């Protein structure tokens, strides 16, 4: 079933849209099934669960950390993580820089935006994010590479609402790209869209969707 689900999702994606298979809460065997179909990019939201999968599974998997990351957990994933998607503060970014340097590597990150209606969702407001970029500290971080933005839309059936949040994310990406990353080709990732809304997301400019239950459930 994972095989069929995965291939159905792939078929529905526009070319150039990266699929991150979100394997959280699913066993190693589920990742192996997707791996056998050629999937190499997976996302997890808990450090311990990720560690077990990282240790067990083939090393050519690219792991993305998609959940809220506590600063005291950065050191555990820094040796091997490919991308940390939900960076929501300068404090966290500084710790990623510190740990990446220790490991003599560069870690790709995304800036997590809060655009949804729910208060509970994490991420920076556009204003907080503008402020972080304007302060300019990130320019001195040689081991952190800001590759784009990430966000989650409101958990609602109101498609117009979801669409307006995705479009706000796209506009914000364009604004920041123009202002800070015009000549930086690695600033290119618009990470939005999950199982329930990734088709809308890709209509609204997403080029990086995080799909879990649609593949693994
Ligand atoms: C769980 C999760 C997903 C995937 O959600 P599905 O609805 O299972 O596709 C995507 N992004 C984040 C940040 C998640 O926590």
């Amino acid at each position: 079933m994972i095989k069929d689900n995965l291939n159905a999702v792939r078929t529905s994606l526009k070319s150039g849209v990266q699929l991150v298979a979100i394997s959280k809460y699913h066993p190693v065997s589920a990742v192996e099934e997707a791996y056998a179909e050629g999937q190499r990019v997976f996302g997890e939201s808990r450090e311990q669960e990720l560690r077990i999968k990282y240790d067990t599974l083939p090393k050519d998997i690219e792991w993305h950390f998609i959940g809220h990351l506590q600063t005291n957990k950065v050191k555990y994933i820094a040796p091997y993580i490919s991308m940390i998607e939900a960076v929501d503060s300068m404090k966290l970014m500084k710790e990623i820089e510190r740990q990446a340097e220790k490991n003599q590597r560069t870690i790709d990150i995304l800036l997590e935006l809060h655009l949804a209606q729910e208060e509970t969702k994490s991420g920076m407001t556009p204003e907080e994010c503008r402020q972080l970029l304007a302060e300019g500290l990130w320019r001195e971080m040689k081991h952190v590479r800001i590759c784009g933005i990430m966000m989650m839309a409101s958990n609602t059936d109101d498609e117009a609402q979801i669409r307006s949040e995705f479009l706000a994310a796209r506009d914000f990406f364009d604004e920041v790209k123009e202002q800070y990353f015009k000549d930086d080709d690695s600033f290119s990732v618009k990470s939005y869209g999950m199982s329930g809304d990734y088709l809308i997301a890709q209509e609204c400019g997403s080029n990086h969707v995080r799909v879990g239950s649609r593949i693994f459930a």
Side-chain angles (χ1 to χ4, degrees):
M1 271 324 270
I2 288 174
K3 174 184 174 184
D4 296 341
N5 292 343
L6 177 63
N7 287 315
V9 171
R10 280 177 174 158
T11 308
S12 65
L13 293 179
K14 295 185 192 174
S15 79
V17 177
Q18 158 102 274
L19 172 62
V20 183
I22 306 301
S23 49
K24 66 180 187 206
Y25 315 144
H26 297 285
V28 164
S29 60
V31 179
E32 282 169 339
E33 260 187 78
Y35 184 90
E37 291 306 301
Q39 183 67 27
R40 291 294 179 271
V41 186
F42 292 87
E44 287 283 333
S45 60
R46 291 181 180 187
E47 183 273 318
Q48 288 186 348
E49 186 180 351
L50 171 55
R51 173 100 62 91
I52 291 165
K53 286 175 178 155
Y54 172 74
D55 285 344
T56 319
L57 287 154
K59 292 297 177 279
D60 64 340
I61 289 179
E62 204 184 288
W63 292 104
H64 289 207
F65 197 88
I66 58 157
H68 178 72
L69 181 59
Q70 291 169 282
T71 47
N72 62 354
K73 299 280 173 69
V74 175
K75 58 178 175 290
Y76 301 122
I77 64 171
Y80 67 88
I81 200 75
S82 287
M83 180 178 269
I84 298 176
E85 293 212 11
V87 175
D88 61 358
S89 71
M90 184 40 76
K91 183 174 170 233
L92 178 57
M93 211 189 284
K94 280 181 181 166
E95 179 61 9
I96 296 169
E97 167 66 18
R98 213 165 72 87
Q99 297 298 337
E101 185 175 17
K102 267 193 187 171
N103 286 279
Q104 295 175 300
R105 56 190 302 260
T106 300
I107 296 179
D108 288 347
I109 68 158
L110 301 178
L111 301 169
E112 186 189 8
L113 281 180
H114 179 114
L115 295 164
Q117 288 170 317
E118 297 105 311
E119 290 291 323
T120 50
K121 291 249 161 80
S122 52
M124 297 176 274
T125 64
E127 211 32 59
E128 287 166 340
C129 197
R130 284 187 189 102
Q131 211 174 339
L132 179 150
L133 289 166
E135 280 166 4
L137 261 174
W138 55 276
R139 293 183 196 274
E140 276 124 59
M141 300 185 175
K142 302 302 175 207
H143 306 84
V144 166
R145 187 162 68 164
I146 303 177
C147 292
I149 59 144
M150 178 269 205
M151 61 81 76
M152 263 192 275
S154 295
N155 186 9
T156 170
D157 292 333
D158 183 351
E159 205 181 300
Q161 176 65 28
I162 292 169
R163 202 173 282 274
S164 79
E165 291 170 7
F166 286 156
L167 291 174
R170 185 188 67 183
D171 290 348
F172 189 81
F173 174 93
D174 290 344
E175 173 194 321
V176 166
K177 175 79 183 168
E178 173 69 24
Q179 200 171 348
Y180 296 101
F181 300 99
K182 217 171 173 171
D183 302 316
D184 181 353
D185 289 342
S186 48
F187 189 89
S188 60
V189 178
K190 285 171 274 184
S191 174
Y192 42 88
M194 320 195 330
S195 289
D197 57 20
Y198 74 93
L199 292 175
I200 304 173
Q202 68 170 354
E203 282 170 24
C204 298
S206 170
N207 57 18
H208 186 110
V209 295
R210 308 178 309 266
V211 180
S213 46
R214 185 65 67 96
I215 297 169
F216 294 108

